[in-house]
Amino acid sequence: MKKYEIMFIVNVADEEVIKSAVELVKATIGKIGGTIDKEDEWGKRQLAYEVKHQTEGYYVVIDFQADPAQIKELDRVIKIHEEIIRHIIIKLDD
């Protein structure tokens, strides 16, 4: 298993939307056989530029371990959900 970090920005429309998006990402990491090492919620911040007609977003960073073959599935699931307006998955050095 390799170490990864995912950072994603959630639409700040509602607290329930934020909670469900964070739980979705955590559940998806579990479904692909990954383990979460650290979760850091940065909170609501101003975006540098407008994204999908939003000027603010809720930032979340999760460090996790997963099989490299399963990262595409995580990326696919996140892209489907409209409440997550941006995300990036980075492989961390061992």
Side-chain angles (χ1 to χ4, degrees), residues 1-5 26 29 34-40 61-66 92:
M1 301 236 282
K2 302 284 183 180
K3 293 184 179 186
Y4 293 92
E5 177 179 271
K26 289 167 49 176
I29 290 170
T35 57
I36 295 175
D37 296 332
K38 185 175 88 171
E39 177 185 349
D40 191 14
V61 178
I62 298 176
D63 291 348
F64 66 100
Q65 295 181 32
L92 300 174

Side-chain angles (χ1 to χ4, degrees), residues 23-89:
E23 288 303 316
L24 167 86
V25 173
K26 289 167 49 176
T28 305
I29 290 170
K31 284 181 189 175
I32 64 170
T35 57
I36 295 175
D37 296 332
K38 185 175 88 171
E39 177 185 349
D40 191 14
E41 295 189 22
W42 292 1
K44 187 166 70 169
R45 296 184 180 223
Q46 191 75 22
L47 300 175
Y49 54 90
E50 192 173 291
V51 177
K52 295 185 181 180
H53 306 291
Q54 301 294 319
T55 57
E56 289 184 327
Y58 191 87
Y59 285 70
V60 180
V61 178
I62 298 176
D63 291 348
F64 66 100
Q65 295 181 32
D67 182 32
Q70 297 298 322
I71 296 301
K72 286 184 183 179
E73 176 64 16
L74 175 62
D75 189 49
R76 185 191 70 79
V77 170
I78 291 173
K79 285 181 181 177
I80 292 172
H81 295 280
E82 294 180 4
E83 66 266 9
I84 299 175
I85 56 178
R86 282 285 190 269
H87 76 282
I88 188 168
I89 302 171

